[in-house]
Amino acid sequence: MRIQNNCLYCNKELDGRTDKKYCNLHCKSAYQYKKQKEGPQRFFNKVDNQLKLNRKLLKEYNKAGKSVIRAKILIDLGFNPDFFTHYWKNQKGEVYLFTYEFGFLRKSENGKEKFVLVTWQDYMKH
């Protein structure tokens, strides 16, 4: 007695081996792509996408090389200060967090959370 198998992608009746899952390479590829898109996003992609968004926002709001902006503005646009690539500590002990070449320092002034935005400089290497 033969067990009836159908293609996992197009549900067409399969001929051949009993362990066959797809009717052709197109269905196999399409099924894998669909499965990957429907599944949870991989951790790497989440981190990479957040870093890209953070960099884009820091670059957009820091045209002059140094500026100050209310934290809420960036955060409302999707900025997440928990994602950064490296940091630099100045002589005052303040720690600037960087997303590639664009950095920020969280400050509180008059009860308002702000970010001081800076661009990476050569003197920051050490």
Side-chain angles (χ1 to χ4, degrees), residues 86 88 98 101 119-126:
H86 59 289
W88 174 72
F98 279 83
E101 73 273 34
T119 303
W120 183 261
Q121 303 294 318
D122 283 340
Y123 69 84
M124 297 175 175
K125 289 179 185 173
H126 304 299

Side-chain angles (χ1 to χ4, degrees), residues 52-68:
K52 286 176 184 175
L53 178 59
N54 281 3
R55 182 187 181 277
K56 176 185 165 198
L57 292 170
L58 290 172
K59 180 181 181 184
E60 190 174 316
Y61 284 88
N62 186 14
K63 302 277 188 205
K66 184 176 182 183
S67 61
V68 178

Side-chain angles (χ1 to χ4, degrees), residues 8-25:
L8 292 176
Y9 183 70
C10 70
N11 208 30
K12 188 170 129 184
E13 186 177 322
L14 296 174
D15 291 327
R17 298 189 339 243
T18 57
D19 63 341
K20 193 171 180 181
K21 296 179 181 180
Y22 312 99
C23 51
N24 58 41
L25 286 176

Side-chain angles (χ1 to χ4, degrees), residues 10-119:
C10 70
N11 208 30
K12 188 170 129 184
E13 186 177 322
L14 296 174
D15 291 327
R17 298 189 339 243
T18 57
D19 63 341
K20 193 171 180 181
K21 296 179 181 180
Y22 312 99
C23 51
N24 58 41
L25 286 176
H26 169 75
C27 280
K28 179 179 181 180
S29 178
Y31 179 81
Q32 295 296 332
Y33 180 75
K34 181 181 167 198
K35 188 174 157 186
Q36 182 180 5
K37 282 199 66 125
E38 290 174 353
Q41 193 179 26
R42 292 190 317 234
F43 182 71
F44 170 83
N45 290 343
K46 286 182 182 179
V47 171
D48 191 46
N49 289 339
Q50 186 63 58
L51 287 172
K52 286 176 184 175
L53 178 59
N54 281 3
R55 182 187 181 277
K56 176 185 165 198
L57 292 170
L58 290 172
K59 180 181 181 184
E60 190 174 316
Y61 284 88
N62 186 14
K63 302 277 188 205
K66 184 176 182 183
S67 61
V68 178
I69 186 169
R70 270 204 239 140
K72 184 175 176 3
I73 292 171
L74 287 182
I75 290 169
D76 286 349
L77 292 169
F79 182 81
N80 186 335
D82 295 334
F83 288 80
F84 55 92
T85 55
H86 59 289
Y87 66 91
W88 174 72
K89 188 188 255 186
N90 68 12
Q91 291 176 343
K92 296 179 194 172
E94 298 169 319
V95 177
Y96 286 80
L97 303 176
F98 279 83
T99 303
Y100 305 106
E101 73 273 34
F102 299 102
F104 63 97
L105 172 68
R106 184 175 277 191
K107 281 199 170 220
S108 186
E109 291 180 2
N110 302 326
K112 304 260 187 206
E113 284 289 314
K114 296 185 178 187
F115 291 134
V116 177
L117 308 182
V118 297
T119 303

